[in-house]
Amino acid sequence: MSTSQAYNEEKGGSSSLGEPEYGHDPASGGIFSSDYKRHDDLKEMLDSNKDSLKLEAMKRIVAMIARGKNASDLFPAVVKNVACKNIEVKKLVYVYLVRYAEEQQDLALLSISTFQRGLKDPNQLIRASALRVLSSIRVPIIVPIMMLAIKEAASDMSPYVRKTAAHAIPKLYSLDSDQKDQLIEVIEKLLADKTTLVAGSVVMAFEEVCPERIDLIHKNYRKLCNLLIDVEEWGQVVIINMLTRYARTQFLSPNQNESLLEENAEKAFYGSDEEDAKDDKTETASLVKRKPYVMDPDHRLLLRNTKPLLQSRNAAVVMAVAQLYFHLAPKAEVGVIAKALVRLLRSHSEVQYVVLQNVATMSIKRRGMFEPYLKSFYIRSTDPTQIKILKLEVLTNLANETNISTILREFQTYIRSMDKDFVAATIQAIGRCATNIGKVRDTCLNGLVQLLSNRDELVVAESVVVIKKLLQMQPSQHSEIIKHMAKLTDNIQVPMARASILWLIGEYCEHVPKIAPDVLRKMAKSFTNEEDIVKLQVINLAAKLYLTNSKQSKLLTQYVLNLAKYDQNYDIRDRARFIRQLIVPTEKSGALNKYAKKLFLAQKPAPILESSFKDRDHFQLGSLSHLLNAKAVGYQELPDWPDEAPDPSVRNVEVPEWTKCTSREKRKEKVEKPFYSDSEGESGPTESADSEPESVSESESESGSGTESGSGSGSEEEEEESGDQSEEEEKEKKKKKKKKEKELPRKASLESMGSSPSEEEEEGKKAKKKKPQHDRKGGSESSSEEGSVSESSSSESDSGSDAEDSQLETETKRRKMPPSSKPAPKAAKKGTKEISLLDLDDFTPPPPLPTSSSSLVSSSLVTDLEGLTLIDTSLASTVISPVFSSVKTYELLHRMTGEGLSVEYYFSRQPFAPDPHMVAVQIQFSNNTDSEVKNVRISEPKLLSGMRVQEFKEIESLAPGETTSVVMGIDFCDSTQAANFQLCTHTRQFYGAIQPPVGELMAPVFMSENEFKKEQGKLTGMSEITEKLTLPETCQSDHTIVQRVTSAANVSRVPCGADNEYRFAAKTVTSGSLVLITLEKKEGALAQLTVNSEKMVIGTMLVKDIIQALTQ
Amino acid sequence: MIHSLFLINAAGDIFLEKHWKSAVSRSVCDYFFEAQERASEAENVPPVIPTPHHYLLSVYRHRIFFVAVIQSEVPPLFVIEFLHRVVDTFQDYFGVCSEVVIKDNVVVVYEVLEEMLDNGFPLATESNILKELIKPPTILRTVVNTITGSTNVGDQLPTGQLSVVPWRRTGVKYTNNEAYFDVIEEIDAIIDKSGSTITAEIQGVIDACVKLTGMPDLTLSFMNPRLLDDVSFHPCVRFKRWESERILSFIPPDGNFRLLSYHVSAQNLVAIPVYVKHNISFRDSSSLGRFEITVGPKQTMGKTVEGVMVTSQMPKGVLNMSLTPSQGTHTFDPVTKLLSWDVGKINPQKLPSLKGTMSLQAGASKPDENPTINLQFKIQQLAISGLKVNRLDMYGEKYKPFKGIKYMTKAGKFQVRT
């Protein structure tokens, strides 16, 4: 307790002895020299070798900074420690640096090299923190260094570093705005980033640096919409606000076509709203010329993807979505936000304050929206006054003829409150209700008159002011009230109220002919003591009485005018002089005199009591400017809807757009499942980056957005046509080749059988459509081998997914298979035909395509989705380069049969760059003839459905005696079926077949022991195959076992705690299903082999192969 | 975005300042003090104060003003929500958030603030990540630190920020795996003079304390999920699953967190578990007023109402009160005019009552307002909305966790007008 006392005792800058660490700066009292001594202490501690001393010193310094004391003279001593090994010291030095570097620029430069070194660190977190501090040092000299660092970090492979780069952009911009152009380039680059981690930060940078460059958003619009739900909450707010503005420029108003009928109905229902009348006019005008409105699918996408965020726990996110709906949604849909906003009213009072302000604005425009929640705005005596007043505002806005009686009853309770400010506000609210709803005007007026006898002067004064306004509407019937109010002048002191009463009496002096002059007499008496506004009204009253009743008031008026003539306030002197000239007839001023009566006693329009929130919605709701009702610095106007929609195709994204990303980036950026996104976003990233758009949209049944061909190329329709043609061709060919097909090996029935011909045809069609895309991809990627390692979704996503997810995943996997078929259209046809005739199939039939209800999401959108990835993580399992052991070579064509040309192949176990679903096959041609072999190529592959072959480039010529090797990719669809094809040379054709051993159908995957166990836990029961075996003597050592297993199958070893166990993991190349192998050595030579895999067939075969490899 | 943060205590002293961009002079707070002076009470200080060059956005919690300085347009809720998050984080770190605690831990506070914002834009606000970066001080750790000179800064690099589940720490290990869920419902109600309900709604939350090893994946299902039509979730909850199946499926953060909050709106019928009979009257001529309150149970579903507490702000004219409670204790503060009566449990056989007289200012006329009665109570083992958890399942980990669920109903803003 003693410390707390110490804290309480000391005020502001003074320091007490109890806490020496806070009293270091010279200004804080005490003797000057001793203070310097203490600073010397700190310096000494900082110079010492002991980390603990340094730490202590830094802690004291930071405590000084925290209290706002100046510690800048320690700069040289502190900056020396920037490279300190101790993390906490380092962090505190950073804190110090960022605070004082600006003031000590030269010295700050000493630290730069440390950060530059940090930028090169292999650890992403260190790179990020170095960039963060470097960019926070506001020293103009290092602008070029910062620029360079940002540029570099923007293409870093770690999304976390890229995020930090995005954060650094506004920092640099505020330091040197000349860098804008270069920074925009970086922003453009980062906007294209696919990770949720970066999205929020880069949009923030965009908003700070170049909010006007809306064109940068086009290409990223759909991506941002889809990523939104997985972005961290603060990023969501920024993105939603930006997208609101974007949508206002790019789409048409969804409400432009509301029929006149509806509009009128609404108007009748809610009573008269002036604004409706205005709306009507514009609407009528616009209706004539406008075509029926169809919402842009992108507009719909935005609305749909933001809606779930109304459920966010973060009030700022909810508010952002609410304003988005208010500004962008069709009238009929805006209602959904009311519930969420009302829920926010339970939050902290500051949140309530902001939300109520916005609700107040909304409730003017769309009263119906909040009417069901009327009672949620009832006021409690414990609410803070500012909240009470806002709630009153909302209640008043919501009042209509049906609920006014309930509201007035509530108001009655409020008037008796102890909080007088609130009572005054209530009285005004009653006044507004009375003006808006004619039915209750008299009731309200009576109630207010009763308040005139209230003991509290404030209440009375407020009532007077309100009554004055009400009376103006129908004065003749209320002379009683005016009389009553005249009496109040004796007691009431509040200037505004006095002024109001005087004005009333003057205006309606004909209704109270006897009282008026008497009131003037009293006022003349006290004139000098009145406030200015009261004095002005006294002069007015005098003038009006002089005109109507000059006999009784002439002298009084003269007296008042004379008093006013010498008043201190020039307004009053002016007024008096003006009025005297006007009303008192003299020789000179004859002309105006005649009109004096008309001037003063003209009919005055009744004031309109309206909400202070009216028309505030021209500010973007939820913004600071809206709250203050004034334009804040840096506020971006919310543009009006355009009359003509700008070209929507600017948002289309070309496929190469995303395959273009650097190979380096891609390699690291494992595709990860966005954790919770629903709708399209979810299935998108489950696929590999190269996966088929179809599967994306198919797996998304709810979205209804699936346009089945999402190849993103504009030639969708053409392709479909050609697909149809090929169907017919197929049928013809089917008959012809029937016989041949029957001879095909029947072991093809692996998993399930029986798919209807029609489905097969569909597959064929799809396969065809696929082709151009693959070709393109192959082209763009073949240059970089690494480019394709980014597949293999399942294991990562499994780590964070539940039953449902994995179900969904398998579903997508299943669906993914059919479309993967051979690139050559011809071949595809054959393949499908074969199967349909044989009526057996490796694969489960594809589920029927969802009917694409409308092209809500255009094709390019779908491609957009594929590219979405979440952040990458060092934890998740990665596909790694294969473990290389002995290579087994298989013969494809013997020298004899090949007439001198011999062909061998082996499985290189390298990822096949153009398509990650393919197994790379290294083929070696040797020409043993003595003449040149030309035009070696593959033709007419005969493949089972789903299988695809990526041919190698034709070998133009092969000199005698020469050997060359090429790589081709085959997608075996995770089956051990052979891929058959013809090998052509310029003279002959040979029949060839490549049949993969089961061990080659997978790619190794790295995972930790825990992950392994977890995954294994999921793959039990049917998916687990166990076999006992006896290890031969030659195969007892660790090394041999590992070597034999890895040679039998393309797997990687998983670290394992127990030394009698071996674990290996891989995933199948096509579907990415995990294959987990466990070998447990038992007593003696006994061992047990367990394989866990969803693909039972692969599992069984693998067990056989491995046992064979181990026991041979 | 957020430029600077000032922490100001009730006495008007700035006891901590932190700048994320160039330092802003603390004299900017003078505008705040002005506004504070104008507002009679702390809670009436406007949350947004414009000044010539800056905007001050503030929240008031634990008798501390957290004043953020911003320079340009930013959604006010963004800042306010963030400031509340800061307070929550402090509370999470130090158990309480008070001036003394903040001053005692000023270095940790500073480090935490440094991590929470980068250039004024939120960077890490999940308490699980922050705790990985900077370990919260515990008595044991403080002792160890002083002896060994080790630090509060986490030495391993925080990978949580990079993970798909940013709210969960990695490598969590517990010997006892347990998951507790508290369903807490608060009734907000306004009861009018005659005892009829003007408005009543239920504000419910499910707070969880999950201490499970590894990466557990939990699903929580309800007997009657239809009740929950207005909910907000912790980001860990898979929204789509909820939409389609009405099941809460999530990978929980480690430790304490609020899983969801829900709102049963005024349109539904809400059972009011207690009633208050009152008779408060002032007479014009006399300087004595009569005061009588009785509290009784109404729809309690057979459960006992406990922790009952009655408070009432009496009118200014009341000088003193002489009251006798049939149970519990009562106090009346003649300065603030606040009457509070700690009732305790309600025994349905013998209803608690508080009777007596009020002495009024002599000569003054009777107060024209009647006091409002605020009520607090607790009912254990009951969720008044009828919400019931069906089951909790865990996937992804092999051990068997200990599961527990608790229901409680409390009074929220429960007012009786007289």
Side-chain angles (χ1 to χ4, degrees), chain A residues 8-68:
Chain A
N8 293 337
E9 274 164 22
E10 53 126 22
K11 289 256 187 245
S14 72
S15 65
S16 68
L17 284 171
E19 21 142 30
E21 61 270 53
Y22 294 129
H24 313 295
D25 74 314
S28 69
I31 302 158
F32 225 56
S33 57
S34 81
D35 267 320
Y36 270 109
K37 222 180 199 172
R38 262 192 278 183
H39 270 221
D40 286 344
D41 277 4
L42 286 174
K43 281 179 192 160
E44 219 164 89
M45 285 163 90
L46 286 168
D47 288 340
S48 81
N49 294 325
K50 276 193 189 159
D51 277 354
S52 59
L53 278 178
K54 284 183 181 179
L55 184 60
E56 185 56 34
M58 280 318 295
K59 279 188 173 172
R60 289 188 190 180
I61 294 169
V62 166
M64 281 166 69
I65 297 174
R67 305 190 70 224

Side-chain angles (χ1 to χ4, degrees), chain A residues 468 471-473 475-476 482 499-512 516 537 540-545 548 597-606:
Chain A
K468 176 207 132 192
L471 282 184
Q472 235 184 312
M473 294 177 174
S476 54
I482 297 173
S500 297
I501 296 174
L502 292 175
W503 184 89
L504 262 183
I505 293 171
E507 190 65 25
Y508 306 116
C509 50
E510 281 158 338
H511 298 285
V512 282
Q537 289 309 325
N540 270 351
L541 172 64
K544 284 171 185 167
L545 278 179
T548 52
K597 210 165 187 172
K598 271 190 187 162
L599 282 173
F600 278 100
L601 296 173
Q603 197 74 41
K604 294 168 187 76

Side-chain angles (χ1 to χ4, degrees), chain A residues 66-67 88 102 123 132 171 233 311 313 343 346 350 380 385 416 455 624-625 633 676 802, chain B residues 17 26 44 60 73 85 111 114 118 151 157 186 188 203 230-231 236 238 366 369 413:
Chain A
R67 305 190 70 224
E88 188 162 20
E102 219 171 347
N123 186 314
R132 202 180 141 195
K171 298 184 207 170
E233 38 197 8
Q311 240 96 28
R313 65 167 170 174
R343 191 183 59 234
R346 242 320 275 257
E350 295 87 5
R380 288 159 213 280
T385 310
R416 285 205 305 272
R455 265 193 312 278
L624 185 62
S625 305
V633 181
Y676 290 138
D802 58 353
Chain B
E17 62 179 69
R26 55 165 67 190
N44 270 329
Y60 180 67
E73 171 68 48
R85 207 61 75 77
E111 284 168 338
E114 181 75 24
D118 180 13
T151 68
L157 289 158
E186 294 192 354
D188 290 356
Q203 208 67 43
D230 186 9
V231 277
C236 72
R238 296 185 179 93
K366 72 168 188 134
E369 70 263 358
K413 297 174 183 166

Side-chain angles (χ1 to χ4, degrees), chain B residues 14-61:
Chain B
I14 303 170
F15 65 93
L16 187 126
E17 62 179 69
K18 170 94 185 92
H19 307 276
W20 284 275
K21 300 183 182 183
S22 304
V24 175
S25 158
R26 55 165 67 190
S27 64
V28 74
C29 290
D30 292 349
Y31 294 101
F32 179 81
F33 295 133
E34 243 171 62
Q36 195 185 6
E37 225 161 85
R38 257 193 313 253
S40 47
E41 283 161 66
E43 52 192 8
N44 270 329
V45 178
V48 181
I49 303 167
T51 78
H53 300 290
H54 300 92
Y55 303 95
L56 305 178
L57 275 70
S58 63
V59 304
Y60 180 67
R61 277 178 75 184

